[in-house]
Amino acid sequence: MAGKVGFIGLGAMGGPMALNLVKAGFSLVVNDIIEAKTRPLKARGATVADSAEAVAAATERTIVIVETTAQAEAVIVGRHGVIDGARAGHVVLCMATIDPFAARDIADRLAARGMAMLDAPVSGGTVRAQSGELSVIVGGERAVFDKCQDLFSVMGSRSFHVGPLGSGLAMKLVNNMLVQVNTVAVAEALVLGVKAGLDPQTIYDVVRVSTGTSAAWEMRVPRILAGDYEPGGTIDISYKDQELETAFAKRLGVPVLLANVTQQVYQMARAQGLNKQDGGAVVKVFERLAGVSVREGNK
């Protein structure tokens, strides 16, 4: 599809995704509530708009990647939102991780004005957002998905059409639940091993070639051993996602025992002031309870 593309939400994920689109030659109109986040895009030739309404009025497709369901609702269908500026035929790509039921309500309100929406959350964290190697998980009409492949192919290395609208978010929540539960298991295992007198590096080396390994093990443990908790995704965002997962499961009547239990570990981490650290910082909860330091044990 030709024409200008809107991009709303230039945070840790949205910022590098938008930059990749500009580098690929797309003409962007951008907006963020924090003006400083628009500057790198403006420096690369993007136009800065002062509202979501203004973004939509100047574009044919608008990408929205904000943090919460309430923010997505406000930006897309709220006062001075996308719905107020867009014309019939406009396509909204909601790439935020939000409540699937709310996404369907938003899509219905857009459809009443002749506009289409895809829910297209991404997976891969900030590193893959920067490299353009995200996984894009999409729900919505297949024809609309096909028309947006030009965007998906720049922001990600893989895109999946997984079903009708809301399906992308459902799939993202399933994936996130696995990672978050596994991250807590990783933290427990490391602290248990260190308390037992095992060398942390040895624990990592043995598990990564044994049956206990996982993507979370490979992703989290090297950073924990290095004491690196710069966020690829914060404790707060993990907690927010688990709120979505458990609420979604309740709506569907599905028991999710581990999601509920591990969410309390993230809440304990938040209570310790670790809100803006990487998800792997949940190890500090177990270190404090067990009276050991994984990193100290690595020296």
Side-chain angles (χ1 to χ4, degrees), residues 100-140:
F101 289 103
R104 291 170 189 159
D105 290 340
I106 293 170
D108 287 344
R109 293 179 65 179
L110 290 170
R113 301 274 194 96
M115 305 166 196
M117 180 172 128
L118 298 173
D119 63 301
V122 295
S123 181
T126 54
V127 172
R128 290 188 187 175
Q130 292 163 0
S131 66
E133 297 177 294
L134 293 166
S135 295
V136 186
I137 310 164
V138 186

Side-chain angles (χ1 to χ4, degrees), residues 4 9 15 51 62 74 85 88 105 121 135 162 192 219 228 236 245 249 280-281:
K4 291 185 177 181
S51 68
T62 299
D105 290 340
S135 295
V162 296
L192 174 63
M219 176 174 63
D228 177 10
D236 273 347
E245 293 152 17

Side-chain angles (χ1 to χ4, degrees), residues 78-160:
R79 189 166 179 264
H80 300 304
V82 170
I83 198 169
D84 287 337
R87 296 174 292 277
H90 197 94
V91 177
V92 176
L93 290 80
C94 183
M95 304 189 81
T97 302
I98 65 171
D99 172 32
F101 289 103
R104 291 170 189 159
D105 290 340
I106 293 170
D108 287 344
R109 293 179 65 179
L110 290 170
R113 301 274 194 96
M115 305 166 196
M117 180 172 128
L118 298 173
D119 63 301
V122 295
S123 181
T126 54
V127 172
R128 290 188 187 175
Q130 292 163 0
S131 66
E133 297 177 294
L134 293 166
S135 295
V136 186
I137 310 164
V138 186
E141 293 185 15
R142 180 75 198 212
V144 181
F145 168 80
D146 290 340
K147 289 179 181 179
C148 293
Q149 279 291 351
D150 56 338
L151 300 173
F152 299 147
S153 65
V154 172
M155 294 183 285
S157 57
R158 297 167 298 274
S159 60
F160 304 91

Side-chain angles (χ1 to χ4, degrees), residues 254-268:
V254 176
V256 284
L257 304 181
L258 294 179
N260 280 285
V261 170
T262 54
Q263 185 186 24
Q264 297 310 305
V265 177
Y266 287 93
Q267 180 70 305
M268 292 167 73

Side-chain angles (χ1 to χ4, degrees), residues 152-200:
F152 299 147
S153 65
V154 172
M155 294 183 285
S157 57
R158 297 167 298 274
S159 60
F160 304 91
H161 181 257
V162 296
L165 199 129
S167 300
L169 286 162
M171 186 72 248
K172 175 70 186 295
L173 294 182
V174 167
N175 180 76
N176 281 14
M177 184 171 69
L178 287 167
V179 174
Q180 290 146 3
V181 168
N182 205 344
T183 293
V184 173
V186 165
E188 283 188 339
L190 273 177
V191 170
L192 174 63
V194 171
K195 188 74 172 185
L198 297 173
D199 171 66

